Amino acid sequence: MRNIPIVTKSLLIINVVAFLISMFSGHVALLGGRDMNDIFGLHFFLAPDFQIYQLITYMFMHGGWAHLFFNMFALWMFGCVVENVWGPKKFLFYYIFCGIGAGLCQEIAQYVQYAYEHLDSYEYVRTAVGSIPMSTYLNLWTTVGASGAIYAILLAFGMLFPEQRIFIIPIPFPIKAKWFVMIYVAIELFSAIGSSGDGVAHVAHLGGMLFGFLLIRYWKKHPYRSTVNFSDFRIFHTTTSTQPPHHESDWDYNKRKQTEQAEIDRILDKIRKSGYDSLSKSEKQKLFDSSKK
């Protein structure tokens, strides 16, 4: 845990602690005897239990050990690299922004279902356990999990290092990150369109990736508001002034910037070829320091 960057580490801890509390505390008395997922999970916006804060809190709730494990494994595997390239503030903003976007897309998908089935014209819904009020039925439309934000991190990794080769179980050979992302998009799109009824929020997964893509495109068009130039995936340095310091000549300033940029490019090329763990401690520090400028 010592080498995991601060935001990724904090997200891992918060998710695990929240899950353990929800699993082993049962119906917490301080929550009025209700399950934590009922309070902090994202309800359909027309349901009585919907609260605006749930667009954030639902990302830290999970439905089971497998759900938690695969999300946290992907967060650790890809989040460490993305955060080290972007820096903690930008990475956290991206994570929360895409998680909220995923939740909004899920709300839209649920509303489409609500309108398509004309549920507004019914007071009761017949289920396997009998008829229940429509308000109770809508409260069952609850979304939990960090998957939307995690899928956005997968997208970011694929755009940062499109040629990086990674292994995917059960495929016995490595594939490039860009194909990895495209495969996941295709699977989620097919699952969302199909009537699988597997209880997985495929639209939320796609929504997280969509909001991630839109944010990256925005940063690309406004590079001075971003620490990364996504047109060629190089660290983009910003300063409070576009002019070189007074004690430096224009030639010295440009020469220094070119040297710094060349070093960062070399480090990123090394990551693409050999992975982030191949960097030395000093190279990791240079990359981290550059991402904060």
Side-chain angles (χ1 to χ4, degrees), residues 82 85-86 90 94 155-156 159-160 215-221 223 226-236:
V82 175
V85 173
W86 281 352
K90 181 176 179 179
Y94 180 84
L155 174 73
M159 295 185 72
L160 281 167
L215 183 58
I216 290 173
R217 291 289 296 176
Y218 174 81
W219 283 337
K220 178 180 177 181
K221 292 181 179 180
S226 168
T227 56
V228 178
N229 184 342
F230 286 95
S231 60
D232 59 2
F233 305 117
R234 297 176 179 177
I235 300 296
F236 193 96

Side-chain angles (χ1 to χ4, degrees), residues 113-134:
Q113 178 182 349
Y114 176 84
Y116 178 77
E117 297 179 357
H118 303 286
L119 295 182
D120 58 332
S121 60
Y122 297 93
E123 294 184 4
Y124 291 87
V125 177
R126 185 178 299 277
T127 67
V129 296
S131 296
I132 60 174
M134 178 58 67

